[in-house]
Amino acid sequence: MKVPPPLDTHAHVDASIAERDLHQLGAFLFAVTRSLDEFGLVQERRDARTLWGVGVHPGLVRANKAFAVEAFENAITSTALVGEVGLDGTSRVPIELQLHTFRSVLRVLQRHPRLVSVHSAGAHLRVLRELHRTPVDGVILHWWTASAELTEEAVRLGCYFSLPPAMMSSEEILRLIPRSRLLPETDHPYGDRRTRGIRRPGGVDEVERRLAAREGVERLEMRTQFWRNLARLTQRVGVMDHLGADWQAVLQSVLHD
């Protein structure tokens, strides 16, 4: 099987960047947004290799105050991805408001399953409590830094984990995550700040290399594993038909390899 391009399952991309410029990165991207207004700028885009997610970041007061369930539910009809959403223990946003937004998002996702990139900084236990309270499929815990006990619980819940270069030294967490639940991300421009060379969305070389060495496989074999993990999750959530032809071609190829 031909080795697929790099995969980045969590990056922040300026809405004004043209599709051709993103295509030149040579990678497939999950481009998360931080507010319904930001998603509104890209909602009509149908980039071949960039999947735009609808998000409400727990760190943004204005985005949470402006959140409306009806607008969110309408927005997800045009994408297979929700992100970035979640909770943040260090945020200026009152936790009651964060919880209202996150709970509303989860209730919608119970009715309309999607892949969902979840923020949990400083609020790992609270996030898991909400996922117990309102179970949804398709959860990808972005840049997860919780304790071993909470990581084990997240694995039991069926969560996947997207890892940026900044997490490659988090040995205690990495050893607890099954290979079948691993996904790469950059969280550009935040999670790749210390990456050597050019930092850009799709720049997951370090994640591929470090995890491949840890798993005792070749780097490109690790990349294929990432795609296979995403393919199985996408299939399980039932959003394959919401993806463009380029995405479907790669996902189907790794499923049938």
Side-chain angles (χ1 to χ4, degrees):
M1 183 189 74
K2 182 180 178 182
V3 176
L7 173 66
D8 182 351
T9 60
H10 190 107
H12 295 271
V13 178
D14 192 300
S16 66
I17 297 177
E19 178 182 1
R20 64 178 178 277
D21 295 325
L22 294 176
H23 196 278
Q24 288 174 0
L25 294 172
F28 281 68
L29 311 175
F30 281 10
V32 297
T33 60
R34 302 194 298 170
S35 69
L36 296 183
D37 284 346
E38 184 183 357
F39 181 71
L41 299 174
V42 298
Q43 187 167 1
E44 301 303 319
R45 291 181 63 154
R46 296 294 180 267
D47 301 41
R49 291 189 170 194
T50 299
L51 178 61
W52 296 91
V54 53
V56 186
H57 196 288
L60 299 180
V61 175
R62 184 177 298 178
N64 282 268
K65 285 185 175 180
F67 176 79
V69 174
E70 297 81 3
F72 174 75
E73 194 159 8
N74 177 66
I76 68 170
T77 62
S78 60
T79 182
L81 176 64
V82 168
E84 174 173 8
V85 297
L87 301 173
D88 191 319
T90 66
S91 172
R92 295 182 298 110
V93 182
I95 190 62
E96 294 79 9
L97 180 55
Q98 291 188 51
L99 285 167
H100 172 74
T101 302
F102 191 42
R103 287 171 178 172
S104 298
V105 165
L106 293 178
R107 286 194 293 270
V108 171
L109 291 174
Q110 282 192 320
R111 299 192 299 273
H112 309 286
R114 295 291 188 271
L115 303 172
V116 52
S117 186
V118 176
H119 178 106
S120 59
H124 306 99
L125 178 58
R126 283 185 182 272
V127 164
L128 294 185
R129 282 176 176 167
E130 295 308 314
L131 294 177
H132 273 291
R133 183 176 184 269
T134 312
V136 300
D137 209 349
V139 172
I140 304 170
L141 295 172
H142 135 71
W143 200 339
W144 176 259
T145 58
S147 66
E149 181 180 8
L150 292 180
T151 302
E152 290 174 338
E153 179 60 19
V155 171
R156 285 193 291 270
L157 272 171
C159 298
Y160 283 59
F161 301 79
S162 58
L163 314 180
M167 270 194 71
M168 290 302 96
S169 60
S170 303
E171 183 61 31
E172 183 180 23
I173 295 173
L174 295 178
R175 68 179 177 82
L176 294 173
I177 302 173
R179 188 194 299 188
S180 60
R181 304 282 187 86
L182 294 170
L183 293 168
E185 66 163 72
T186 59
D187 194 22
H188 181 81
Y190 310 106
D192 59 353
R193 285 174 175 167
R194 297 182 181 179
T195 301
R196 295 179 181 178
I198 299 173
R199 296 183 298 112
R200 65 190 189 282
V204 294
D205 290 5
E206 183 178 353
V207 178
E208 292 179 347
R209 178 173 49 80
R210 296 279 292 273
L211 289 179
R214 192 181 182 285
E215 296 291 333
V217 299
E218 295 296 324
R219 182 173 66 86
L220 295 183
E221 184 179 343
M222 194 72 235
R223 180 187 297 175
T224 301
Q225 177 74 57
F226 292 147
W227 274 101
R228 188 172 292 118
N229 295 348
L230 179 61
R232 289 170 178 159
L233 180 60
T234 301
Q235 194 174 55
R236 191 174 83 198
V237 178
V239 294
M240 188 75 77
D241 291 345
H242 289 269
L243 298 170
D246 288 38
W247 285 91
Q248 290 190 37
V250 179
L251 294 169
Q252 293 290 356
S253 70
V254 297
L255 280 173
H256 296 105
D257 176 48

